[in-house]
C-alpha cells in the first residue's frame, strides 16, 4: 500500500552564520512560493538568524512547522512573475506575534489565531521577534472547490480559540505533530477532513466580519452552495430547483456562480465528482461497487459518470481506485 513520505527538515543549524540568510531564503522559497526575506535587526549585537522548517505532504496538501527569528517576508509582483505556483496559504500562529498584509488589510496574529492569504497577489509577513507557526499550503483548485469566496477572505484575523476555528486548529495541529507516514487511502481522507474543517472555519469567521458592498451576494452564493451540499445525492437537483429554493431567478443564480468562474450546473457536477472520488478512496466504502458509489451521489448514467470522472481527474474511476492499492 502506498504511503505519503515522512517529513523533511530544513534548518540553518546546518550552515555557517554568514550563509544563513541565503540558505533560509532558498528554504522558504522552495517550501512555499517565491519570496524575498530580510532579517529584522535589533540591538548592537543581534543574534544570528535562526530558522527551521519541518515539511510534510498529505496527499497534495503541504503542512509545515516553521520556527525562526525576527524577519520580514515579502511576496512581491516580481516574485509572482518569476513563479508559476498557484496556492492559498493558511498561517496558524503558535508562538510569538506576527502581521500579515494583503489586499489593503492587516491581520495581526497572536498564539491561537490564523489567517488566509493568496499567492497570486502581493503580501507581506512580518515578525518582530522569535515565532513559531504551522502553515498549510493548499492548491488553488482544492481551496476554491470548497470555499469559492476565499479571495475575499484574505488577511483577516481568524480566531482559533472557539467554535469551528478551535476544532479545525486542534485537528490540524494534531496532524502536524505526528511523525509518521500515512497510508495513501487514509491520507486522502485526512486531506479532505483538514480542508473541510479549515474552510468551514474561515467561512464561519467571515460571516461575522465587517459588512462589505459584496456581502449580500456572497451570503447568497454560500446559501446556494449549502443547498447543493444538502441535496447533492438527489437526481432531480437542478439550477431551477436551487433558484426556487433561494427565491431568485436561474439567471441571477448563475450570476452568483460567475463570481467564482463557474455555473450552478458545473458546480453540482464538480461536487458530485469530488464526493464520488472521496468514497472511492475511503477504505470504509471498499465493499461498494463503482456503480453504487456513482448512484449514491446522484449520477444515473454510469458511462457518463466514468467519462466525467476521467475528464476531471485524468483517470477512470477503476484506475483511480486501483492506484490507491499499489
Amino acid at each position: 500500500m502506498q504511503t505519503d513520505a515522512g517529513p523533511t527538515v530544513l534548518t540553518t543549524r546546518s550552515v555557517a552564520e554568514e550563509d544563513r540568510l541565503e540558505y533560509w531564503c532558498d528554504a522558504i522559497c522552495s517550501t512555499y512560493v517565491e519570496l524575498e526575506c530580510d532579517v529584522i535587526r535589533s540591538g548592537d549585537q543581534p543574534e544570528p538568524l535562526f530558522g527551521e522548517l519541518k515539511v510534510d505532504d498529505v496527499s497534495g496538501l503541504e503542512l509545515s512547522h516553521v520556527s525562526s527569528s525576527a524577519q520580514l517576508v515579502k511576496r512581491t509582483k516580481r516574485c509572482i512573475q518569476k513563479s508559476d505556483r498557484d496556492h492559498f496559504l493558511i498561517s496558524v500562529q503558535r508562538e510569538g506575534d506576527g502581521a500579515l498584509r494583503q489586499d489593503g488589510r492587516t491581520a495581526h496574529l497572536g498564539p491561537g489565531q490564523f489567517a488566509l492569504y493568496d499567492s497570486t497577489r502581493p503580501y507581506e509577513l512580518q515578525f518582530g521577534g522569535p515565532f513559531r507557526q504551522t502553515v498549510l499550503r493548499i492548491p488553488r483548485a482544492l481551496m476554491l472547490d470548497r470555499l469559492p469566496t476565499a479571495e475575499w477572505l484574505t488577511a483577516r484575523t481568524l480566531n482559533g480559540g472557539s467554535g469551528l476555528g478551535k476544532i479545525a486548529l486542534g485537528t490540524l495541529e494534531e496532524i502536524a505533530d505526528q511523525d509518521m507516514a500515512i497510508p495513501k487511502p487514509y491520507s486522502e481522507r485526512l486531506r479532505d477532513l483538514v480542508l473541510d474543517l479549515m474552510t468551514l472555519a474561515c467561512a464561519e469567521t467571515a460571516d461575522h466580519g465587517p459588512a462589505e458592498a459584496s456581502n449580500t451576494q456572497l451570503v447568497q452564493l454560500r446559501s446556494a452552495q449549502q443547498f447543493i451540499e444538502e441535496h447533492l445525492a438527489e437526481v432531480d437537483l437542478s439550477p431551477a430547483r436551487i433558484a426556487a429554493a433561494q427565491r431568485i431567478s436561474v439567471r441571477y443564480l448563475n450570476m452568483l456562480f460567475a463570481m467564482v468562474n463557474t455555473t450552478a450546473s458545473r458546480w453540482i457536477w464538480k461536487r458530485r465528482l469530488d464526493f464520488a472520488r472521496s468514497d472511492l478512496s475511503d477504505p470504509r466504502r471498499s465493499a461498494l461497487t463503482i456503480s453504487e458509489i456513482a448512484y449514491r451521489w446522484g449520477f444515473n448514467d454510469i458511462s457518463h459518470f466514468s467519462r466525467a470522472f476521467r475528464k476531471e481527474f485524468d483517470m477512470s474511476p477503476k484506475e483511480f481506485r486501483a492506484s490507491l492499492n499499489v
Side-chain angles (χ1 to χ4, degrees), residues 6-7 9 54 56 65 174-182:
V9 178
K54 187 180 80 171
D56 206 352
H65 283 312
E174 284 289 333
I175 294 168
D177 289 338
Q178 298 299 313
D179 289 320
M180 57 181 291
I182 302 170

Side-chain angles (χ1 to χ4, degrees), residues 284-318:
R284 296 171 301 176
R285 310 281 186 198
S286 60
L288 293 179
T289 67
I290 291 172
S291 295
E292 287 171 332
I293 288 173
Y295 290 135
R296 185 169 185 261
W297 291 111
F299 294 97
N300 56 10
D301 184 325
I302 301 305
S303 296
H304 183 207
F305 167 68
S306 294
R307 289 194 301 271
F309 193 97
R310 179 181 288 279
K311 183 177 179 181
E312 183 67 26
F313 303 116
D314 296 323
M315 63 178 74
S316 70
K318 183 178 180 180

Side-chain angles (χ1 to χ4, degrees), residues 214-266:
S214 60
N215 191 56
T216 298
Q217 290 179 326
L218 295 180
V219 169
Q220 289 175 318
L221 176 61
R222 283 196 288 272
S223 178
Q225 291 166 338
Q226 182 62 36
F227 183 86
I228 291 171
E229 296 293 300
E230 292 171 355
H231 300 275
L232 196 60
E234 298 167 15
V235 176
D236 65 345
L237 182 64
S238 67
R241 183 180 166 195
I242 299 162
Q246 304 299 308
R247 299 183 180 180
I248 57 177
S249 67
V250 172
R251 181 180 178 184
Y252 186 77
L253 177 72
N254 280 319
M255 186 194 77
L256 295 176
F257 277 90
M259 295 192 302
V260 289
N261 300 314
T262 190
T263 65
S265 292
R266 285 199 293 268

